[in-house]
Amino acid sequence: MSAHTNLYYLHTTLCVRNLEASRSFYGELLGLQEITERPLSFPGLWYDLGNAQLHLILDPGFHAPIASSDAWGRSPHLALSVPDLSAIQQRIMHRGITYQASASGRAALFVRDPDGNTIELSQRSSEALT
């Protein structure tokens, strides 16, 4: 008997305190494409992740869960594959945003959005481009 299920990834939701700061981070810095037609009635931002979506929901009292370890990858996080990690790293440094390189030696780094949500950015492998 197969353990395969017919489950498909749809979206990830993160809470944020400031929609404009989030739009600057996710839209301008990371270059995600905003979805302008949203079917829900509460404030938020939706982004296209190709085969899924990122939903940012406004919650003025939100505080991101951050692990007690200084290894950012041990915090709850969203991992995104990017085509040019060095270009995004340059934009992150230009904005003065603190980040941490992956301790694994992979071409990856961790950054926190304006609300403290941890985001992992990994260099897309050449195999993923074919």
Side-chain angles (χ1 to χ4, degrees):
M1 180 176 273
S2 172
H4 176 73
T5 62
N6 291 322
L7 299 178
Y8 299 93
Y9 180 65
L10 298 176
H11 70 267
T12 293
T13 298
L14 298 176
C15 293
V16 299
R17 293 184 302 252
N18 182 312
L19 291 176
E20 289 311 310
S22 294
R23 180 175 277 126
S24 176
F25 181 86
Y26 289 96
E28 295 172 20
L29 178 70
L30 298 184
L32 298 182
Q33 179 66 43
E34 187 173 340
I35 299 168
T36 56
E37 295 181 21
R38 299 184 311 106
L40 302 175
S41 61
F42 49 83
L45 298 169
W46 271 220
Y47 287 96
D48 182 15
L49 296 178
N51 61 341
Q53 296 178 359
L54 172 61
H55 298 173
L56 303 179
I57 307 297
L58 182 63
D59 179 355
F62 173 73
H63 295 284
I66 298 175
S68 59
S69 168
D70 61 351
W72 293 16
R74 294 185 187 141
S75 291
H77 64 276
L78 170 67
L80 300 172
S81 174
V82 298
D84 189 349
L85 184 63
S86 62
I88 290 180
Q89 183 177 11
Q90 290 300 315
R91 292 196 305 262
I92 289 168
M93 292 186 323
H94 179 73
R95 288 188 180 201
I97 298 172
T98 302
Y99 68 93
Q100 184 180 75
S102 174
S104 71
R106 294 177 302 119
L109 59 87
F110 294 88
V111 64
R112 292 203 171 104
D113 76 5
D115 296 292
N117 293 300
T118 303
I119 310 299
E120 176 183 354
L121 303 170
S122 297
Q123 177 70 46
R124 186 175 299 150
S125 69
S126 58
E127 295 82 32
L129 298 176
T130 60

